[in-house]
Structures are given as structure tokens and as C-alpha cells.
Amino acid sequence: ALKRACQQGLTVVCTIHQPSRFVFQTFDNLLLLRKGGICVYQGKISEISSYINSIVPALKPDPEENPADKILEIFCGNNDASADWISSYRTSKMAKDAWNSHQGAIECKMGVSLDSNLQSASFTAQLYFVLTRQLLAHWRNPSYTAIRWWWTILANLLIGLVYFGSGKDPNSLNSLTNTI
């Protein structure tokens, strides 16, 4: 199904964990993230061996092994402590090309430019953006929001009617709660 979508010109983005050799080799490009969501490789799957050899020539993927497992072991494991994959990727031509293509797309679509020193926003800024997004989502679907409000009001009225007139006697409150 994914192959047909690609043949129709659609972009397919997948998250796969430890794929088989066959599944891994059906993809064209790879975005490999290290723990913490830090990118250590972004490019064609066919070029990953030459990228690894350019940084640490001694590490050559064995043709008998599953390439996905070997790549995870090389990039994310403690295979070679001397290789700093994060800084190697950040200084590579591959990263600069990816940055420039993303920069152009964001400037074109949103009219803003990216800062090369990306840091997470403050808590208040994140809260503002999340609340704005949620309010916009509710504003776009007023019938759903109205139904949620009416069900909330109805449920509160029913619960209030159940306990109405029960007084402050703990035994009557307990018996009502057990009845429910």
C-alpha cells in the first residue's frame, strides 16, 4: 500500500523500529534520531555506508547483518567512543543542505527565518501556543464543542439530582454512593 502511494506521487513518512533487511531497503531516505531527538543522519539509505566510512573508516557494515540493526548499533550504541556523530552530522554538507532547504520552505510559507541555535521555547510561550491551537480547533468545530458542553451540563444535573435532598447525614450519602 505504501509503495502504491509513492508511485502515485505522495510523500510517505514512516516511523519504523528495527525493520527487516527487506523493509529497510525499500525506503529511499533515512532520518536517524539519537536519544533526545537529535539528528545524526539525514539522507539517502544508499549513501549511509560512505558517510560512516568518511567519519570512522574502520566501521564498515557487514553485508551479512541487518543494515538497520548495524546502523543503530553504530550511531546510537557505544561502538566507538571516538566518533561524535552529532557534531559530525552538524558540520557535514548533508546537514547544511537540509538546513537550507528547510529554511527556504519555512520562509516561503510562514514569512519567518530559522535561527541556527534552536532552543525550546519557555513554558509560558509553549502554554500560549498550545492553548491558542486548542481554542482554534474548538472554534473550527462548534457543533462538537456545543455537544460536549451540553453533555457536561446534563451529567452535572443528573449527579446533582441524585444527591439533592440527601442532607448532611453521612449514612445517607454513603447509601446513595453505594446505590450508584
Side-chain angles (χ1 to χ4, degrees):
L2 294 177
K3 195 80 156 167
R4 275 192 309 241
C6 289
Q7 290 168 350
Q8 293 175 355
L10 297 173
T11 302
V12 176
V13 178
C14 295
T15 302
I16 52 175
H17 300 276
Q18 296 178 323
S20 67
R21 175 188 297 263
F22 175 74
V23 170
F24 184 73
Q25 291 173 344
T26 59
F27 289 94
D28 299 326
N29 296 309
L30 173 68
L31 171 64
L32 182 63
L33 302 175
R34 194 175 179 134
K35 187 175 182 178
I38 301 169
C39 183
V40 291
Y41 181 81
Q42 180 180 5
K44 298 202 174 294
I45 289 179
S46 60
E47 298 172 1
I48 197 163
S49 292
S50 60
Y51 177 74
I52 292 169
N53 290 337
S54 69
I55 297 170
V56 182
L59 291 177
K60 291 185 180 179
D62 184 15
E64 298 295 319
E65 288 184 287
N66 183 348
D69 290 338
K70 185 64 177 177
I71 288 167
L72 283 175
E73 181 184 324
I74 290 172
F75 282 102
C76 302
N78 293 327
N79 193 1
D80 189 355
S82 65
D84 184 8
W85 296 108
I86 298 169
S87 63
S88 297
Y89 173 75
R90 286 184 179 165
T91 58
S92 70
K93 182 182 181 314
M94 181 189 325
K96 289 177 179 61
D97 292 343
W99 180 261
N100 291 335
S101 69
H102 296 316
Q103 175 81 9
I106 289 179
E107 284 178 354
C108 177
K109 184 171 180 158
M110 301 173 73
V112 297
S113 63
L114 291 173
D115 183 14
S116 62
N117 295 325
L118 293 177
Q119 295 181 355
S120 60
S122 67
F123 174 75
T124 54
Q126 290 180 28
L127 183 65
Y128 169 77
F129 286 120
V130 169
L131 285 176
T132 304
R133 184 181 66 201
Q134 287 301 314
L135 288 173
L136 183 62
H138 290 301
W139 180 260
R140 288 180 180 162
N141 198 350
S143 61
Y144 174 70
T145 304
I147 290 170
R148 286 182 56 195
W149 276 100
W150 284 113
W151 274 112
T152 303
I153 291 169
L154 181 66
N156 285 323
L157 285 174
L158 288 175
I159 291 171
L161 286 173
V162 166
Y163 287 102
F164 183 73
S166 63
K168 294 186 178 184
D169 182 24
N171 291 331
S172 64
L173 285 175
N174 283 339
S175 64
L176 276 173
T177 305
N178 291 335
T179 305
I180 292 175

